[in-house]
Every structure is written in C-alpha cells, then in structure tokens.
Amino acid sequence: MSATVNDKAAAAIQQFNTSSQYKPPRNWSGPLWQIKNDYPQPKPRTDSYAASSTPGDAPGLPLPNVPVEAPWTQVDFTTPEGALKYAQLVKEYCWEGNKSVDFIVQENTFTKKLQVDRVIQVRPWFHAPWMHASANGREPLKGLTYERSIPPFEFASSQTSALQNWAIGFYNSPGASVFGGVWKNPADPVWKEDLKFPPQSVVFKLLLTTATDDEVPTMKGSPTWQAVIAKQDDPKVAPATAAIRAEDKARPVRLIQVDWATVDERSPIGWVFGTFMYNGYLQNIEDPWDRLTPVGVMWGNDPQLDQAAVDRGEKPVQSWINPKAEELRVELNGMRPSWGYNGRLNGPADNFISACSSCHGTAQSFDAPLVQSGKLVETEETSSYGRKKKKWVPLNERLTMTWYGELVLEAAFHSYIVVSDDSIRFENVKAGETFSVRGALSADYSLQFTIGWTNYNTWSKTYKDQAKDKTKTTLLSLPTRRVVFRPQGDLADDAEARQKILDSIRVEDVPRRAGPDFTW
C-alpha cells in the first residue's frame, strides 16, 4: 500500500522524537540518551530592547534592561580582562545544574532548603531537533554527532593517529524557542523567514575526542564518556563520515573542548563566541570538568585582516586569544599554526583555516563552504622548540577572504569544481541576515539548525522510497551552490596557468539538491 499523507505525518513526528537511529552495543546495560525537544514557543518581539537594539550599537557598554540571569551582559568583552570574565560567567551559567547530572538536561535540578525541601529546576535546556537523521547523526549512548577529525600531528607533535571528535549541543529556553517556532507542528515544520535568536539566548557544545594522554599530554584526567563511534580501520586515517559505526562495543571519548555562544547586541555581528580547551595540567582543580582553559573570545570576523595586513604585522582586533592557551598550543608543538585563521579564534578540534563566527555565519537554508584549500608553508621564524614556524597559505587569497570555498581539482585538472557562493567569508554578517543574498534564509549563526532542517528536508523528499525500502536515513547531502568552470588543455603541471584561472572565476549557480536521486 502506498504511503499516505497521514502516514508521512505520523512518521515525521516519530522521527522528530527519535533520539538515535543507531543501536547500542549488545552488551550495553547503561542508560540510553534521550532528546529533550519540548521547546518553548517564541515570544513576540515587542519589548523595547528587542525592538531598538542593533548589533554594534554600543560596544563595551552594558546592555539595557537585562536581568541578572545574564550577568555577562554587564561585562565589556572587548578587553582581555573583560573577555576572560565574560567567558567564565557564561561557563558557570552553562555548568549550573548540568555538570552535576552529567549533562542529562532532563535532570537539571537541585534541592532547595526551604520550610519544606523542594526540588527545583535550575533552568531548562534543550537539544537541536533532527540531528539523528544522517550518516554523522547522534549515537545512542550520549547523543553525540560526528565532527571534524584532527589529522595526525595537527594538535601535538606526539599525536600519531587521526582523532575522531564527537559533540553535543545545548540551548537554553530563549534559544530553544527558535526551534519551537519552526517545529510548532513536528509533522509539518515551517521555515519561511529569516531566523533571529532572541536576547539572552545561550548555546554551548561539548566536544569529546579519541585522543590518549600519550598522544596529547594536556588530555590527562579528562572526563570520559562511552559512545558508539565510527569504525576506524587505520589509526592514521579518520573515516570521512560515521555511516559505519563500531557497534560491537562502546568506546571512550574524552573532553577536549567546550564551545559557547551568546546573543549580545553590542557585538558587530549580534553574537559573542568563545571556546575552552581541556587542560590536564590543572591538576590542582579537583573536578575534571572544571579543568578548562579559555582559548579566547570572538565578537567579529576582522574583515580588514587579509594576508597582506597579516604580513604587515597586523593582528585581529575582534578576537581575544588567551596567552595561556597560546602557550599550550606552542608547547604541544603540533602542525597547527594558530588557533583560527591568521590569529582569529577557533578551538583545538576546529579547522585553523576558519574561525568560530565566520564558520557559524554561513548558517542558512543553502549551506556555504566552510574552508578554502591551501597548504602549510614554513616561515623564516623559529619557535622556542627550534622548529620552523608555519603559516597557512591559501591557493587563492581572494577566494579565501571572499569565501568562495574549497577548491576541488578533478581529472588531472581538466575540470575544476569550486564550492561557491557570492558572499564574504570574513564579513561581519549581522544576526538574522543571510550569508548569501540569493534565495537563502538566515539560520542566525546556528549550524545545528541548518543541519537539522536539511536532514528533515532530505527525509521528507525521500520518504516514499524509504517507506518502501525500510532503509536508514544516513544521508548528509547538504544543498549548496557551486562554481563550475573547465579550462582547456592539461594544466596539471602549470601552476601559473591554474592560478590565472582561479583569479578570473566567473560565478555560475548550480543548485545541488539533497537526496539519493540527485545527479549533476
């Protein structure tokens, strides 16, 4: 019998409430992760703060009419002292009621001693929807999704294997209300206008890795979770996707990084981003979840900081990098030349070719590329360890700063495909505005929303085939835009000619549609 509309609606609700499509190991006797998706509904934007504030209005000044629930809004994040305090206040807010229950947010409660003891929720937290329905989707034990892997030697000179990284994100009530608005009806979600996260929205993410103490000395004593991770036959090569899981047994993953983001209208982009790294050298701190060193804080993309500016000695002015974190990066002596691109902020598990806010700024209904191809080259400078310092040199500086994306060379350079869009990579994209101007909707810096929506769309478009075949939803084919150009002749050995072609790219939109029936 063919699938009916009612069948599809019921299946959509079932998928919305699915925590993981992967099974736990046969011998697993512990709890299984459960999604929390009873999202609040968005409040009308009628208050004076929401109606009058524009990103960047009053950098460095306290926000008006903000309660003590968001104390970081009274802190100037543009100074080193303020950035450090801001990060610590946000971490304390995220940790309160969550750390003590191992981040099972359904149990975020404490017992308050009144005349009669009462168990009170500190504050509700939620997970992003539809993060299960892809090859990299949530594993069943802790709800972790597969993130970018770390190539050998990138993070530390002793890191001989490719590290798998797994993560889970959390949204407070204001932030989760965005999901509540779109998924008010889980059977028929609606996204027809640019999203904008309301004031006091807070998001944080835990990233865990397969790194050992021997490979990365700073991992000593790191909090450990058990997870169903990707099968990895070669220790030096991480799998491209997590479609094939090592389901025979749970494997340990350990905290390496904590990311956070807050809506803050003083920022030029309307958000402030930050990241911590686990630091096992802080053994004087008893609770390992608190052995965190702030890597930095970021409130803009420094669009003026191109390679020429960097070569003149200019530094980012919209990122603060903690000197202590920089000392750790140098001491680990990995191939990573900086935390983020040309001194901007990114975390230890992130791609140093990008940066926190420039990456998240691409969140929209048509995805945009996250990195630009290039290579690491040695400089004349030598580190304190006697090793030549390196810097990232993109294949094309113009493409990097305008974020045309990742170059893919095919068929011995007979044809080139450049993942592309027409916008600016390190532009300060304002909250609620699109990275691309052609037909896209803004997801307001929320890549998890974009991934979840794409997963839903892919499932919806292929529902009939899946209902017929009873197959897993393991697609991660995000819609994107591409530039396609084909030079004449064989340019495999002619770098100068290839560069001329790169410099003269003409943009041609070729929509790529998600789903198994897509063909070029």
Side-chain angles (χ1 to χ4, degrees), residues 41-68:
Q41 289 301 299
K43 295 179 180 179
R45 292 177 57 82
T46 56
D47 59 282
S48 59
Y49 166 69
S52 63
S53 293
T54 301
D57 269 356
L61 300 178
L63 287 170
N65 306 319
V66 176
V68 293

mmCIF file of all heavy atoms in Angstrom, residues 41-68:
data_model
loop_
_atom_site.group_PDB
_atom_site.id
_atom_site.type_symbol
_atom_site.label_atom_id
_atom_site.label_comp_id
_atom_site.label_asym_id
_atom_site.label_seq_id
_atom_site.Cartn_x
_atom_site.Cartn_y
_atom_site.Cartn_z
ATOM 1 N N GLN A 41 7.598 28.169 23.014
ATOM 2 C CA GLN A 41 7.241 28.954 21.841
ATOM 3 C C GLN A 41 7.911 30.331 21.909
ATOM 4 O O GLN A 41 8.133 30.874 23.005
ATOM 5 C CB GLN A 41 5.726 29.115 21.738
ATOM 6 C CG GLN A 41 5.008 27.830 21.361
ATOM 7 C CD GLN A 41 5.486 27.298 20.021
ATOM 8 O OE1 GLN A 41 5.352 27.965 18.992
ATOM 9 N NE2 GLN A 41 6.063 26.102 20.024
ATOM 10 N N PRO A 42 8.266 30.895 20.766
ATOM 11 C CA PRO A 42 8.924 32.217 20.774
ATOM 12 C C PRO A 42 7.987 33.295 21.287
ATOM 13 O O PRO A 42 6.772 33.245 21.067
ATOM 14 C CB PRO A 42 9.279 32.434 19.298
ATOM 15 C CG PRO A 42 8.365 31.532 18.533
ATOM 16 C CD PRO A 42 8.101 30.351 19.406
ATOM 17 N N LYS A 43 8.564 34.254 21.985
ATOM 18 C CA LYS A 43 7.786 35.383 22.484
ATOM 19 C C LYS A 43 7.745 36.483 21.429
ATOM 20 O O LYS A 43 8.701 36.669 20.675
ATOM 21 C CB LYS A 43 8.411 35.923 23.773
ATOM 22 C CG LYS A 43 8.375 34.928 24.929
ATOM 23 C CD LYS A 43 9.033 35.520 26.172
ATOM 24 C CE LYS A 43 8.984 34.525 27.321
ATOM 25 N NZ LYS A 43 9.649 35.066 28.553
ATOM 26 N N PRO A 44 6.653 37.228 21.357
ATOM 27 C CA PRO A 44 6.591 38.349 20.402
ATOM 28 C C PRO A 44 7.692 39.352 20.692
ATOM 29 O O PRO A 44 7.993 39.640 21.856
ATOM 30 C CB PRO A 44 5.204 38.956 20.654
ATOM 31 C CG PRO A 44 4.430 37.871 21.332
ATOM 32 C CD PRO A 44 5.416 37.077 22.133
ATOM 33 N N ARG A 45 8.294 39.872 19.645
ATOM 34 C CA ARG A 45 9.378 40.842 19.810
ATOM 35 C C ARG A 45 8.802 42.236 20.013
ATOM 36 O O ARG A 45 8.854 43.100 19.148
ATOM 37 C CB ARG A 45 10.313 40.810 18.608
ATOM 38 C CG ARG A 45 11.115 39.524 18.508
ATOM 39 C CD ARG A 45 11.969 39.509 17.257
ATOM 40 N NE ARG A 45 12.874 40.643 17.183
ATOM 41 C CZ ARG A 45 14.054 40.704 17.810
ATOM 42 N NH1 ARG A 45 14.451 39.718 18.566
ATOM 43 N NH2 ARG A 45 14.824 41.757 17.676
ATOM 44 N N THR A 46 8.235 42.444 21.212
ATOM 45 C CA THR A 46 7.595 43.727 21.495
ATOM 46 C C THR A 46 8.328 44.542 22.550
ATOM 47 O O THR A 46 8.037 45.715 22.731
ATOM 48 C CB THR A 46 6.154 43.500 21.983
ATOM 49 O OG1 THR A 46 6.188 42.620 23.123
ATOM 50 C CG2 THR A 46 5.309 42.844 20.882
ATOM 51 N N ASP A 47 9.264 43.908 23.279
ATOM 52 C CA ASP A 47 9.955 44.656 24.326
ATOM 53 C C ASP A 47 10.889 45.684 23.696
ATOM 54 O O ASP A 47 11.353 45.541 22.568
ATOM 55 C CB ASP A 47 10.754 43.723 25.237
ATOM 56 C CG ASP A 47 11.789 42.919 24.466
ATOM 57 O OD1 ASP A 47 11.394 41.930 23.815
ATOM 58 O OD2 ASP A 47 12.954 43.304 24.503
ATOM 59 N N SER A 48 11.185 46.758 24.438
ATOM 60 C CA SER A 48 11.956 47.871 23.887
ATOM 61 C C SER A 48 13.358 47.445 23.500
ATOM 62 O O SER A 48 13.914 47.916 22.507
ATOM 63 C CB SER A 48 12.025 49.003 24.917
ATOM 64 O OG SER A 48 12.634 48.536 26.120
ATOM 65 N N TYR A 49 13.942 46.521 24.252
ATOM 66 C CA TYR A 49 15.305 46.095 23.948
ATOM 67 C C TYR A 49 15.358 45.413 22.589
ATOM 68 O O TYR A 49 16.176 45.744 21.736
ATOM 69 C CB TYR A 49 15.802 45.154 25.043
ATOM 70 C CG TYR A 49 17.046 44.397 24.653
ATOM 71 C CD1 TYR A 49 18.257 45.067 24.506
ATOM 72 C CD2 TYR A 49 17.003 43.036 24.413
ATOM 73 C CE1 TYR A 49 19.403 44.389 24.150
ATOM 74 C CE2 TYR A 49 18.145 42.352 24.052
ATOM 75 C CZ TYR A 49 19.345 43.020 23.924
ATOM 76 O OH TYR A 49 20.467 42.352 23.561
ATOM 77 N N ALA A 50 14.454 44.470 22.370
ATOM 78 C CA ALA A 50 14.473 43.723 21.118
ATOM 79 C C ALA A 50 14.133 44.612 19.948
ATOM 80 O O ALA A 50 14.632 44.435 18.843
ATOM 81 C CB ALA A 50 13.485 42.557 21.194
ATOM 82 N N ALA A 51 13.255 45.601 20.168
ATOM 83 C CA ALA A 51 12.812 46.434 19.059
ATOM 84 C C ALA A 51 13.836 47.489 18.682
ATOM 85 O O ALA A 51 13.901 47.915 17.525
ATOM 86 C CB ALA A 51 11.493 47.111 19.434
ATOM 87 N N SER A 52 14.648 47.932 19.626
ATOM 88 C CA SER A 52 15.503 49.088 19.356
ATOM 89 C C SER A 52 16.961 48.753 19.123
ATOM 90 O O SER A 52 17.699 49.550 18.570
ATOM 91 C CB SER A 52 15.408 50.076 20.528
ATOM 92 O OG SER A 52 15.910 49.465 21.702
ATOM 93 N N SER A 53 17.396 47.591 19.581
ATOM 94 C CA SER A 53 18.820 47.302 19.525
ATOM 95 C C SER A 53 19.257 46.856 18.142
ATOM 96 O O SER A 53 18.547 46.140 17.451
ATOM 97 C CB SER A 53 19.173 46.215 20.540
ATOM 98 O OG SER A 53 19.003 46.709 21.847
ATOM 99 N N THR A 54 20.408 47.310 17.746
ATOM 100 C CA THR A 54 21.031 46.905 16.501
ATOM 101 C C THR A 54 22.434 46.423 16.819
ATOM 102 O O THR A 54 23.118 47.046 17.621
ATOM 103 C CB THR A 54 21.107 48.102 15.517
ATOM 104 O OG1 THR A 54 19.793 48.576 15.284
ATOM 105 C CG2 THR A 54 21.733 47.685 14.202
ATOM 106 N N PRO A 55 22.877 45.323 16.203
ATOM 107 C CA PRO A 55 24.230 44.851 16.502
ATOM 108 C C PRO A 55 25.272 45.952 16.371
ATOM 109 O O PRO A 55 25.300 46.681 15.386
ATOM 110 C CB PRO A 55 24.438 43.750 15.465
ATOM 111 C CG PRO A 55 23.065 43.223 15.218
ATOM 112 C CD PRO A 55 22.170 44.431 15.286
ATOM 113 N N GLY A 56 26.095 46.080 17.390
ATOM 114 C CA GLY A 56 27.181 47.046 17.340
ATOM 115 C C GLY A 56 26.821 48.436 17.800
ATOM 116 O O GLY A 56 27.622 49.357 17.694
ATOM 117 N N ASP A 57 25.602 48.631 18.346
ATOM 118 C CA ASP A 57 25.179 49.967 18.772
ATOM 119 C C ASP A 57 26.103 50.558 19.825
ATOM 120 O O ASP A 57 26.467 51.722 19.760
ATOM 121 C CB ASP A 57 23.762 49.910 19.346
ATOM 122 C CG ASP A 57 22.708 50.154 18.262
ATOM 123 O OD1 ASP A 57 23.106 50.446 17.113
ATOM 124 O OD2 ASP A 57 21.525 50.056 18.578
ATOM 125 N N ALA A 58 26.421 49.782 20.831
ATOM 126 C CA ALA A 58 27.168 50.321 21.968
ATOM 127 C C ALA A 58 28.211 49.327 22.443
ATOM 128 O O ALA A 58 28.096 48.771 23.522
ATOM 129 C CB ALA A 58 26.212 50.670 23.100
ATOM 130 N N PRO A 59 29.237 49.073 21.635
ATOM 131 C CA PRO A 59 30.240 48.097 22.051
ATOM 132 C C PRO A 59 30.917 48.511 23.351
ATOM 133 O O PRO A 59 31.290 49.663 23.528
ATOM 134 C CB PRO A 59 31.228 48.088 20.877
ATOM 135 C CG PRO A 59 31.010 49.383 20.170
ATOM 136 C CD PRO A 59 29.561 49.704 20.362
ATOM 137 N N GLY A 60 31.045 47.544 24.250
ATOM 138 C CA GLY A 60 31.729 47.805 25.500
ATOM 139 C C GLY A 60 30.847 48.306 26.613
ATOM 140 O O GLY A 60 31.270 48.371 27.761
ATOM 141 N N LEU A 61 29.590 48.655 26.309
ATOM 142 C CA LEU A 61 28.698 49.179 27.334
ATOM 143 C C LEU A 61 27.718 48.102 27.778
ATOM 144 O O LEU A 61 27.347 47.230 27.001
ATOM 145 C CB LEU A 61 27.920 50.385 26.793
ATOM 146 C CG LEU A 61 28.766 51.582 26.342
ATOM 147 C CD1 LEU A 61 27.865 52.673 25.794
ATOM 148 C CD2 LEU A 61 29.586 52.130 27.508
ATOM 149 N N PRO A 62 27.266 48.159 29.039
ATOM 150 C CA PRO A 62 26.264 47.187 29.483
ATOM 151 C C PRO A 62 24.995 47.285 28.647
ATOM 152 O O PRO A 62 24.607 48.362 28.197
ATOM 153 C CB PRO A 62 26.001 47.593 30.938
ATOM 154 C CG PRO A 62 27.214 48.345 31.349
ATOM 155 C CD PRO A 62 27.675 49.066 30.112
ATOM 156 N N LEU A 63 24.357 46.162 28.449
ATOM 157 C CA LEU A 63 23.100 46.154 27.726
ATOM 158 C C LEU A 63 21.985 46.705 28.618
ATOM 159 O O LEU A 63 21.975 46.466 29.823
ATOM 160 C CB LEU A 63 22.736 44.734 27.297
ATOM 161 C CG LEU A 63 23.552 44.155 26.157
ATOM 162 C CD1 LEU A 63 23.264 42.670 26.009
ATOM 163 C CD2 LEU A 63 23.229 44.868 24.863
ATOM 164 N N PRO A 64 21.024 47.411 28.046
ATOM 165 C CA PRO A 64 19.929 47.942 28.856
ATOM 166 C C PRO A 64 18.909 46.864 29.201
ATOM 167 O O PRO A 64 18.683 45.930 28.439
ATOM 168 C CB PRO A 64 19.304 48.995 27.926
ATOM 169 C CG PRO A 64 19.576 48.482 26.547
ATOM 170 C CD PRO A 64 20.927 47.803 26.630
ATOM 171 N N ASN A 65 18.301 46.989 30.359
ATOM 172 C CA ASN A 65 17.138 46.181 30.738
ATOM 173 C C ASN A 65 17.394 44.677 30.681
ATOM 174 O O ASN A 65 16.517 43.904 30.311
ATOM 175 C CB ASN A 65 15.937 46.519 29.840
ATOM 176 C CG ASN A 65 15.633 47.998 29.825
ATOM 177 O OD1 ASN A 65 15.698 48.647 30.870
ATOM 178 N ND2 ASN A 65 15.332 48.539 28.656
ATOM 179 N N VAL A 66 18.605 44.263 31.012
ATOM 180 C CA VAL A 66 18.916 42.839 31.014
ATOM 181 C C VAL A 66 19.025 42.364 32.464
ATOM 182 O O VAL A 66 19.783 42.932 33.246
ATOM 183 C CB VAL A 66 20.220 42.541 30.260
ATOM 184 C CG1 VAL A 66 20.566 41.065 30.369
ATOM 185 C CG2 VAL A 66 20.066 42.924 28.798
ATOM 186 N N PRO A 67 18.272 41.337 32.856
ATOM 187 C CA PRO A 67 18.289 40.890 34.254
ATOM 188 C C PRO A 67 19.585 40.178 34.606
ATOM 189 O O PRO A 67 20.404 39.867 33.755
ATOM 190 C CB PRO A 67 17.099 39.926 34.309
ATOM 191 C CG PRO A 67 16.968 39.406 32.911
ATOM 192 C CD PRO A 67 17.354 40.551 32.022
ATOM 193 N N VAL A 68 19.738 39.884 35.904
ATOM 194 C CA VAL A 68 20.948 39.233 36.373
ATOM 195 C C VAL A 68 21.061 37.809 35.848
ATOM 196 O O VAL A 68 22.089 37.169 36.027
ATOM 197 C CB VAL A 68 21.000 39.218 37.915
ATOM 198 C CG1 VAL A 68 21.156 40.625 38.441
ATOM 199 C CG2 VAL A 68 19.750 38.556 38.494
#
